[in-house]
Each structure stands twice: as structure tokens, then as C-alpha cells.
Amino acid sequence: MASTADFKNGLCLEMNNDIYSIVEFQHVKPGKGAAFVRTKLKSLRSGKTLDKTFNAGEKVTTARVEKRPHQFLYADDMGYNFMDTETFEQISLEERLIERPKLLKDGQNVDILVHAETETPLSVELPPFVELMITYTEPGIKGDTATNALKPATVETGAIVMVPLFVDQDTMIKVDTRDGSYSERVK
């Protein structure tokens, strides 16, 4: 059990027969009335987010969730296959457990969130940035634009990322896995 004073980003709670992770929270103390905590929660099973308000000092049930290092091996018609880097056991997970599966590259290290009591995989956390090679993009013409213009580029995993005009084919780029956007060229 934990109270609202123990809230921090990433804390996992059990409620409504589901496990939620706190994405953000704000302690609000209005001039009139009791204090409360406004939170944004993300379901680790379905991926949906919801806003919930707790009274200050309210007790909540915490869930024991562990991050376990795994390596992505390959994807097939059964799902996405990962290997535990400590025990070398292989597991297959559904696509819905991975936030951006198109950014997964063979041999990439990820963290899998596992519910400690039931040993159930909840979600796959990609690293904040991944380095990918551009396999196809249209050539950018100099003087084509007045402001920062973007063009679509296909990367080695098959994902389409919007990149600036100066980025060419066969260039390594860094992609932000949180929103799938271009970050920078890799030198």
C-alpha cells in the first residue's frame, strides 16, 4: 500500500483489475476545500491512458513490476521473439505489447516489464533512441523551401520517418522511439 504522497512517475498501481503506471501527476491545493492529486495513468495491459483524481492521503495498492533486460531476435507470424539476456530463455510476445514495433531492429536490447507475482509480460520498453539506416528516400532539392521542410524516408526496419531535406539515402539517423520522429544524423 502507498499513499498519494508516495506518487512518482513510473509507479505502478493495481486498480479495476488492471495495472496502471503513473505517467504524470500534480498535487493540487485549492484555496477552498481539501487537497487532491490529479494523475494521468497508462494501462500496462491495454496501453490506454486515463485521468484519475485521488484525494490527498488516499491509500492505493501498488503492483510489483520488474524490468528485465531482453534482446529482440526476430518477428514471425507467432509474434515478436525476445531472449532474456541473463537466463537465455526465449519468449514470444504479441505486437500489442510493443509501443512502436516498426522501430525494433534484430539484436536490439529492450526492457520487458513483467508483473512479479504472476510472471506475466505487460509491455516492452524500447530505448529512448535507436540508430537506423535509411534504405529509401527521395532526393532533396536545394532551394526547395523557405522553412524547415520534411520528407518521408523508409528505414531498414520498414518504418517511415519524416526527415529534413538534407538527409540522403544510406545515412544512419537517430530516431526518438517515444514519438517515432527524426532526432539527428549519426556521425
Side-chain angles (χ1 to χ4, degrees), residues 115-134:
H115 189 248
E117 282 121 37
T118 61
E119 289 295 316
T120 312
L122 299 170
S123 68
V124 176
E125 272 188 8
L126 275 69
F129 296 96
V130 291
E131 294 180 1
L132 299 168
M133 176 75 71
I134 294 178

Side-chain angles (χ1 to χ4, degrees), residues 116-175:
E117 282 121 37
T118 61
E119 289 295 316
T120 312
L122 299 170
S123 68
V124 176
E125 272 188 8
L126 275 69
F129 296 96
V130 291
E131 294 180 1
L132 299 168
M133 176 75 71
I134 294 178
T135 56
Y136 176 77
T137 187
E138 295 287 335
I141 294 125
K142 192 173 182 181
D144 214 11
T145 179
T147 59
N148 294 344
L150 300 174
K151 63 181 180 179
T154 306
V155 293
E156 60 187 292
T157 60
I160 295 176
V161 178
M162 296 303 286
V163 298
L165 291 175
F166 61 82
V167 177
D168 297 322
Q169 196 165 312
D170 299 324
T171 304
M172 284 290 279
I173 61 169
K174 199 180 263 191
V175 178

Side-chain angles (χ1 to χ4, degrees), residues 2-93:
S3 76
T4 55
D6 301 324
F7 279 7
K8 61 182 183 233
N9 291 346
L11 181 72
C12 295
L13 311 173
E14 279 185 47
M15 52 189 251
N16 303 338
N17 296 326
D18 204 350
I19 298 174
Y20 293 92
S21 174
I22 296 177
V23 178
E24 60 184 56
F25 69 98
Q26 180 182 20
H27 186 85
V28 180
K29 191 169 185 236
K32 188 176 178 183
F36 57 91
V37 179
R38 200 177 281 134
T39 61
K40 182 181 256 184
L41 305 171
K42 180 180 180 187
S43 170
L44 293 179
R45 291 200 176 116
S46 66
K48 295 179 181 166
T49 58
L50 71 115
D51 295 318
K52 179 145 176 68
T53 304
F54 296 94
N55 292 326
E58 188 176 324
K59 297 281 185 200
V60 291
T61 308
T62 56
R64 227 178 76 213
V65 174
E66 296 175 352
K67 270 187 189 179
R68 296 190 183 153
H70 282 71
Q71 185 178 41
F72 174 64
L73 299 175
Y74 60 92
D76 58 15
D77 55 344
M78 300 297 291
Y80 289 76
N81 296 282
F82 297 89
M83 176 183 67
D84 191 320
T85 55
E86 293 165 359
T87 64
F88 302 109
E89 290 179 16
Q90 289 188 19
I91 58 169
S92 181
L93 298 177

